[in-house]
Amino acid sequence: RERPKLGGEERHVAVLFIDIVGSTQLVTSRRPAEVVAVLNQFFGIVVEEVDRHRGLVNKFEGDATLAIFGAPNHLDSPEDEALGAARAIAERLSNEMPECQAGLGVAAGQVVAGNVGARERFEYTVIGEPVNEAARLCELAKSHPARLLATADTLDGASESQRAAWALGDTVTLRGHERPTRLASLADATEQT
């Protein structure tokens, strides 16, 4: 009965962005019903792992997904949950859907979390640099051997056990960013390259 208010609050979160590699080819090489079946299987894996790691699937955008860890529910270590979910999704896609590769990007930091839009139509989402970083990392990850990248800052906020699975890599300037970003990828993928 009472309409939620527009606006939000500052929160520390981790963000996971996932996008299928070669989605145009997927759509043009299969019948629409087959594409929907592939997408449903893909999204099923993503949703299961995000839920298991106590995150929120914020939105599906075509064949991409934005997941948030630490809002609206507080998490003591959103970095651990997001990095763990990303690793689990990458592993499951490799094992269960090897024909469906995806880029995954993880970033963490301060955002504004809340209802954005107009009074007549709005959605709960997060706005801030970590969202943009995760999207840029996701694009970069599509050409990375492990298909999974995180920021070094995200690792800094993670537990020692989670950090042990990752290795620091190159420093790059992501599109639209002024400051350079140090990349991190799965340790076993770094050893293979």
Side-chain angles (χ1 to χ4, degrees):
R1 292 179 188 167
E2 188 176 318
R3 300 285 293 185
K5 295 178 184 163
L6 295 178
E9 62 178 337
E10 282 208 22
R11 296 289 288 266
H12 178 82
V13 303
V15 178
L16 168 60
F17 209 94
I18 309 147
D19 191 22
I20 291 177
V21 175
S23 58
T24 302
Q25 183 182 4
L26 173 72
V27 170
T28 58
S29 66
R30 299 178 186 220
R31 293 185 355 259
E34 289 178 73
V35 174
V36 169
V38 169
L39 289 176
N40 286 342
Q41 184 181 1
F42 170 76
F43 288 137
I45 290 170
V46 170
V47 170
E48 283 175 23
E49 293 303 330
V50 169
D51 285 351
R52 193 164 68 83
H53 289 87
R54 302 184 300 154
L56 166 72
V57 171
N58 183 234
K59 61 183 76 173
F60 297 121
E61 297 174 2
D63 60 325
T65 306
L66 170 64
I68 309 164
F69 300 81
N73 299 327
H74 171 78
L75 295 174
D76 289 334
S77 181
E79 291 90 348
D80 276 3
E81 299 295 349
L83 291 167
R87 288 172 52 208
I89 291 166
E91 183 177 337
R92 285 190 62 190
L93 288 175
S94 178
N95 293 336
E96 298 172 33
M97 298 186 73
E99 77 286 357
C100 185
Q101 297 292 309
L104 294 93
V106 184
Q110 289 295 114
V111 299
V112 172
N115 295 316
V116 175
R119 282 192 310 255
E120 300 80 15
R121 175 125 168 60
F122 56 87
E123 68 178 5
Y124 183 87
T125 194
V126 292
I127 306 291
E129 187 173 351
V131 181
N132 296 331
E133 275 185 321
R136 300 293 181 250
L137 289 171
C138 176
E139 282 304 309
L140 206 55
K142 289 179 177 184
S143 58
H144 191 273
R147 305 260 197 244
L148 171 54
L149 293 171
T151 65
D153 290 346
T154 303
L155 287 189
D156 288 344
S159 67
E160 191 174 323
S161 62
Q162 186 61 249
R163 283 194 308 265
W166 297 80
L168 294 176
D170 295 336
T171 299
V172 300
T173 301
L174 299 171
R175 184 170 51 92
H177 288 76
E178 293 178 7
R179 291 184 309 116
T181 301
R182 181 97 188 258
L183 301 178
S185 60
L186 292 176
D188 56 358
T190 305
E191 292 165 9
Q192 294 170 4
T193 59

